[in-house]
Amino acid sequence: MVGADSPYVKLTRMGQALDPISRNELWGIKPVWNFVKASKFLNKRHLFGLFINIMLKFNKHLLRPIFLTFFLFSLASQLWASEAGGGDTDIVHRVSILVIQVSLIIFAAWTGGILFIKLRLPSVLGEIIAGVVIGPYCLGHIPVIGFQHGLFPLQATFPVTVELYSLATIASIVLLFIVGLETDLDTFVQFSLAGSVVGIFGTLVSFVLGDIVGILFSNYILGVHHGFFHPVSLFFGIISTATSVGISARILSARRRMNSSDGVTILSAAVIDDILGIIALAVVIAVAKTKHVEFKQVFLILIKTIGIWIIFTALGLRYSRHLSKYLNRIKNKRTIALLCFALALMLAGIFEQSGLALIIGAYTMGLSFSKTDLAFLIQEEMEMLQRFFVPIFFCVMGMLIDPTVLASHDIMLFGVIYIVFAVLGKLLGCSLPALFLNFNLRGALIIGIGMIPRGEVALIMASIGLSQGIIDHDVFSIAAIMTFATTLITPPILDKLLSSDKPILRKQPPDKKELIAIKFDMPNPETAEFIHRKILDTFKSEGFHSHRQRHGLYFIRKSEIFITFKYNRHQHEFDCLKEDAGYVYTLFYEVISELELFAKKLETLKDKVTIGRRIFDPQKPSKAKQSKVFQKLLPKAVEVNLKGNSKDEILKELVDLLIKSEQLHPSKKDTLFNAIKNREESLSTGMQDGIALPHAKSESVDQCIFVVGLKKEGLDFASLDNLPSKIFIMTIAPTENQHEYLQHMSQISRSLTEEQNRNKILSAKTNKELTEILKSLS
């Protein structure tokens, strides 16, 4: 007998709620959609449907297996939940829920980030929106199969679970540790005066205007009067002081303005006001805990906070080089990075126990290592950790936002007021001082706009206030709205201003350290790739640490030497101080010398002809490895009667055949012909037994393309057996897909190994007949 409340009966009832559905629908989105329609949460149906439709349009093939996995897990969860007891199983249950939550957060954050990147907006905004959508205030509390209270149920005292917020806290430590590592101390010191003035004034003006918004908010929303020094008012001010170093840095890096006067001023000022904001955060938290707002008490807390930060920062900068030398004895890079992150966690805990915030300790440890050889190594090895934790942080921050708050006219009004005051605070507080620091109006405007985005630091500050009970969800939502808006509007405006080469200074100061760009043109993509790898290996052998910022851009460092290496398939460029140019020229000369020696040794290789002949050695492949390459042959990609009487004429005719068969755009003709010709000059592709396989890699194609031509009377193609070539198969492969190219060439050689196959090909009288013969060989 099956009980009325058995898991089987429960599943049967759930299945009835999903009927009628077809077998194909069971593997897609419709079962979940039908279940939602059948549920009591009909008011959420349209929102959920809109979310599903957007995701389906984004990537249908990826989402089907995700939903299938989720659906099967839900069924298994329902079975397990009916049998779960108390005690230890409760811990196991909570951990299993956390694992599922993290997996969904990663998928949601990735989807939101990609969508916003496609819209040319910062990915962090997409990750925040994804958190709002799947969070406890939106879809997260809707019951689904196996989760009675939803995947992200609203908690009693805090929107998300302690476990999930703990992960977000660790993510904030990772984030601020990386920000500290990326801080350029030399640049910071060089522009310390301008950066300090801009940062201090920007912090003060933003803080005052933000505090005023807090006073207005308490009067008109809470119905109580909070003074200027009330914790809620102070938190409005503190959140307003933050500046996202990452958002502005990405735009400056893309425009190659990181080392410019405006770029350096923005970055150094952002560091200054973040430090001041974080210190002010520690002061406010201490005041809120002691519930004293006397000036003497505030002054003592301020002295204590600044004193602890200065002491640990000074100790870190003083002994970080010695620690770096000790850690360098450990040959394993991942172990070094792991130990450095462990130190960051330790210092974050010490700072929290001392009354400061965790993120101050993480930032201080990152700042200490930023001047050492290990900075790039740590960043590189922690990249995967950063990719895992940081999206979780932004997504969880989105979960803390209550979208229903936006329906309140008063909250939206104060959100808009806060945005305006936040923009004005940075624009006025940073632009006006810049006008007195040798910047013209355009330069001052760039600095002011570059300081507007709040980003991750503001969210961290707001989340700390929320977790400490100092601010409520309404305040957090207003802060999130301000953060979202300032992060959204800044990138396009700043990018537009930086795109112009107009002067930004009233008077150009003499350069104490002259930066130069050293460029080397590459003869072809293959040589460029080879030299690129050799350069990185040579730097490494000389004790330099390299860090890949993005595709084709590397930061290379050893002690006081800092070099930027930009690589593409046509040119290598090095940016460095003029005094360090000797390192670059010497290293590049050594690489070229080794390449020439390598080429000379290759010329003495006696087995080249033997290797070429072995390609067409008789071989009998198994049925599983039968070649299918000619099944892809297009009808217009064959020519039974080539007209050319020289190697170049045959090559041009085959290239024309690629265009005729619509595999190649006519505008790429000359580029491709030159690539083929260069390949022939290095080593002829005339093989043996009347076969020639001209081929090349090119950026003009994104997949392997090929054509087949016959010259039955034969043509001298400098073949290995010195016999005329009659069968010509030209292959063009993309530069990035090495595996597909080698597999393609291997299958062609396998098909032409047998003499009877070659005779069949040469017996063709028409293009149609040639196509049929070739496809029959597959």
Side-chain angles (χ1 to χ4, degrees):
M1 292 290 291
V2 179
D5 294 327
S6 68
Y8 176 80
V9 173
K10 289 181 180 179
L11 293 179
T12 303
R13 291 172 182 169
M14 293 174 190
Q16 291 172 352
L18 301 177
D19 286 333
I21 57 176
S22 67
R23 184 182 298 264
N24 290 333
E25 288 174 339
L26 182 61
W27 307 106
I29 306 302
K30 292 185 179 179
V32 182
W33 175 240
N34 289 332
F35 177 75
V36 174
K37 288 197 295 185
S39 71
K40 61 183 180 179
F41 293 94
L42 297 178
N43 59 323
K44 302 289 183 180
R45 190 172 68 195
H46 300 297
L47 179 60
F48 187 78
L50 178 62
F51 176 67
I52 294 298
N53 285 330
I54 292 173
M55 294 180 74
L56 276 174
K57 289 179 181 179
F58 172 67
N59 198 327
K60 184 176 180 180
H61 298 290
L62 175 64
L63 290 169
R64 283 184 179 273
I66 293 174
F67 272 92
L68 172 61
T69 303
F70 168 68
F71 185 71
L72 292 176
F73 174 81
S74 299
L75 298 181
S77 297
Q78 185 69 16
L79 286 168
W80 179 79
S82 64
E83 300 173 358
D88 294 339
T89 56
D90 181 58
I91 298 176
V92 176
H93 177 69
R94 291 175 66 180
V95 171
S96 67
I97 295 298
L98 176 64
V99 170
I100 296 300
Q101 287 178 334
V102 171
S103 68
L104 291 176
I105 286 172
I106 291 173
F107 278 116
W110 176 79
T111 303
I114 292 294
L115 282 172
F116 271 66
I117 288 174
K118 286 182 178 293
L119 296 173
R120 297 183 179 181
L121 295 171
S123 61
V124 295
L125 299 181
E127 292 163 1
I128 294 171
I129 290 295
V132 175
V133 172
I134 68 172
Y137 293 107
C138 197
L139 302 179
H141 74 282
I142 298 177
V144 293
I145 303 171
F147 299 90
Q148 183 180 356
H149 301 291
L151 284 162
F152 297 95
L154 187 65
Q155 304 299 302
T157 57
F158 199 69
V160 298
T161 62
V162 174
E163 296 88 354
L164 202 56
Y165 188 76
S166 298
L167 275 179
T169 301
I170 295 174
S172 68
I173 293 174
V174 173
L175 190 61
L176 266 294
F177 180 51
I178 297 297
V179 170
L181 284 169
E182 292 176 348
T183 303
D184 189 340
L185 274 178
D186 287 336
T187 302
F188 179 79
V189 172
Q190 183 181 358
F191 285 83
S192 58
L193 177 60
S196 298
V197 173
V198 170
I200 290 171
F201 273 89
T203 300
L204 290 175
V205 176
S206 298
F207 179 82
V208 171
L209 292 180
D211 200 300
I212 291 172
V213 173
I215 296 172
L216 295 174
F217 176 82
S218 65
N219 284 335
Y220 292 97
I221 300 297
L222 302 180
V224 294
H225 177 69
H226 287 164
F228 189 88
F229 291 102
H230 190 276
V232 172
S233 303
L234 292 175
F235 245 94
F236 269 102
I238 288 170
I239 295 169
S240 186
T241 63
T243 298
S244 175
V245 180
I247 300 296
S248 297
R250 289 178 193 174
I251 302 168
L252 291 168
S253 176
R255 288 292 178 180
R256 298 181 63 185
R257 297 282 286 269
M258 290 286 281
N259 293 320
S260 63
S261 53
D262 53 347
V264 171
T265 302
I266 290 172
L267 295 178
S268 58
V271 172
I272 287 290
D273 71 7
D274 277 351
I275 291 173
L276 293 176
I278 290 172
I279 291 174
L281 173 66
V283 172
V284 172
I285 291 174
V287 169
K289 287 180 178 179
T290 58
K291 298 182 179 180
H292 290 294
V293 290
E294 296 178 2
F295 178 78
K296 181 181 178 181
Q297 185 72 16
V298 172
F299 180 75
L300 290 175
I301 294 173
L302 182 63
I303 294 297
K304 173 192 171 184
T305 304
I306 295 176
I308 292 174
W309 181 76
I310 290 176
I311 290 171
F312 276 97
T313 301
L315 290 173
L317 294 174
R318 174 68 178 83
Y319 293 103
S320 59
R321 290 185 182 276
H322 300 288
L323 184 59
S324 173
K325 290 179 181 179
Y326 177 77
L327 290 172
N328 270 318
R329 297 177 184 176
I330 304 172
K331 301 302 180 183
N332 192 306
K333 291 183 178 180
R334 293 181 180 178
T335 302
I336 295 174
L338 184 63
L339 292 175
C340 291
F341 180 58
L343 290 173
L345 290 172
M346 182 184 296
L347 192 60
I350 292 173
F351 269 55
E352 180 68 28
Q353 292 297 319
S354 301
L356 283 77
L358 288 165
I359 56 174
I360 308 178
Y363 180 83
T364 301
M365 185 55 70
L367 193 67
S368 300
F369 279 115
S370 67
K371 189 64 177 171
T372 68
D373 294 343
L374 298 179
F376 293 151
L377 182 149
I378 298 169
Q379 292 178 56
E380 184 175 349
E381 295 300 325
M382 285 192 62
E383 184 176 357
M384 190 61 197
L385 197 64
Q386 186 180 4
R387 285 174 179 268
F388 172 76
F389 273 109
V390 174
I392 291 177
F393 168 77
F394 286 112
C395 206
V396 173
M397 292 302 103
M399 291 181 177
L400 302 181
I401 301 173
D402 184 358
T404 59
V405 172
L406 304 180
S408 169
H409 178 269
D410 293 334
I411 295 295
M412 283 300 298
L413 175 62
F414 272 93
V416 173
I417 293 173
Y418 197 27
I419 293 170
V420 173
F421 275 47
V423 171
L424 288 176
K426 293 296 184 182
L427 201 57
L428 297 176
C430 299
S431 296
L432 291 178
L435 289 173
F436 297 93
L437 296 168
N438 197 33
F439 287 94
N440 58 25
L441 182 60
R442 184 172 170 276
L445 189 62
I446 289 175
I447 291 173
I449 291 175
M451 297 289 290
I452 287 175
R454 294 325 198 261
E456 65 281 352
V457 180
L459 287 177
I460 292 172
M461 290 177 172
S463 66
I464 291 173
L466 183 63
S467 64
Q468 296 278 350
I470 300 173
I471 61 175
D472 59 16
H473 294 97
D474 289 350
V475 177
F476 182 87
S477 297
I478 292 175
I481 293 170
M482 182 273 292
T483 301
F484 189 92
T486 55
T487 306
L488 179 68
I489 64 177
T490 302
I493 300 174
L494 183 60
D495 187 67
K496 182 68 176 177
L497 288 172
L498 292 174
S499 63
S500 174
D501 293 328
K502 294 180 180 179
I504 58 172
L505 298 175
R506 290 196 179 95
K507 182 180 179 182
Q508 292 293 336
D511 290 329
K512 295 181 180 180
K513 293 185 177 181
E514 185 179 351
L515 291 171
I516 63 171
I518 303 171
K519 301 179 182 180
F520 299 101
D521 293 327
M522 296 291 107
N524 54 60
E526 290 76 18
T527 304
E529 177 66 25
F530 183 88
I531 293 178
H532 154 243
R533 296 183 182 279
K534 191 63 180 175
I535 285 172
L536 294 177
D537 289 341
T538 306
F539 270 122
K540 182 179 178 181
S541 65
E542 293 295 325
F544 285 82
H545 291 287
S546 63
H547 175 58
R548 182 178 176 179
Q549 291 291 103
R550 59 177 185 270
H551 182 68
L553 176 63
Y554 297 87
F555 288 167
I556 300 170
R557 185 173 190 171
K558 180 182 179 182
S559 299
E560 303 296 326
I561 304 170
F562 179 78
I563 300 169
T564 301
F565 172 39
K566 302 181 185 71
Y567 152 75
N568 61 55
R569 296 182 180 276
H570 307 290
Q571 189 181 74
H572 289 176
E573 180 180 345
F574 299 86
D575 293 333
C576 63
L577 294 175
K578 189 174 182 179
E579 61 195 57
D580 296 330
Y583 284 96
V584 175
Y585 284 114
T586 302
L587 180 135
F588 201 82
Y589 181 80
E590 290 299 319
V591 169
I592 296 299
S593 299
E594 288 187 30
L595 181 59
E596 289 180 350
L597 181 61
F598 180 68
K600 289 178 180 179
K601 288 182 178 180
L602 280 179
E603 291 177 359
T604 64
L605 185 63
K606 298 179 180 179
D607 294 334
K608 284 188 289 186
V609 175
T610 305
I611 293 169
R613 287 176 175 171
R614 290 295 299 274
I615 294 174
F616 291 94
D617 276 355
Q619 46 187 309
K620 192 174 182 180
S622 63
K623 290 184 179 180
K625 293 187 177 180
Q626 287 291 335
S627 173
K628 297 181 180 180
V629 64
F630 289 119
Q631 293 294 336
K632 304 175 184 177
L633 185 64
L634 299 176
K636 294 183 179 181
V638 297
E639 177 53 57
V640 77
N641 186 22
L642 294 173
K643 305 290 192 303
N645 294 314
S646 67
K647 178 182 274 193
D648 282 1
E649 290 177 359
I650 291 292
L651 293 176
K652 287 181 180 178
E653 202 169 346
L654 292 172
V655 171
D656 288 336
L657 202 57
L658 286 169
I659 297 172
K660 180 182 176 182
S661 59
E662 298 181 352
Q663 298 182 82
L664 181 72
H665 195 274
S667 63
K668 306 293 184 180
K669 178 179 178 179
D670 294 338
T671 303
L672 188 60
F673 175 75
N674 290 331
I676 288 284
K677 190 173 180 180
N678 290 336
R679 173 64 183 83
E680 289 295 325
E681 289 175 354
S682 64
L683 186 66
S684 176
T685 56
M687 308 309 291
Q688 63 192 46
D689 300 323
I691 301 168
L693 303 175
H695 58 273
K697 297 178 186 176
S698 174
E699 295 177 348
S700 304
V701 298
D702 56 9
Q703 62 180 353
C704 266
I705 61 175
F706 69 105
V707 291
V708 180
L710 302 181
K711 181 76 174 176
K712 296 182 181 180
E713 61 271 29
L715 178 78
D716 182 12
F717 214 79
S719 60
L720 296 175
D721 55 8
N722 296 320
L723 295 177
S725 300
K726 300 178 180 181
I727 302 173
F728 299 88
I729 303 178
M730 176 179 283
T731 301
I732 308 299
T735 54
E736 299 296 336
N737 199 335
Q738 181 78 5
H739 174 72
E740 182 184 357
Y741 162 70
L742 292 175
Q743 188 178 40
H744 177 89
M745 297 297 291
S746 174
Q747 290 179 353
I748 288 176
S749 65
R750 190 182 303 144
S751 299
L752 301 179
T753 297
E754 298 182 15
E755 184 177 0
Q756 62 179 5
N757 289 344
R758 299 194 295 271
N759 291 336
K760 279 184 183 180
I761 293 171
L762 291 172
S763 68
K765 293 181 174 58
T766 64
N767 290 345
K768 182 179 179 181
E769 185 180 354
L770 177 58
T771 304
E772 291 174 353
I773 291 172
L774 288 168
K775 289 189 175 183
S776 70
L777 300 180
S778 300

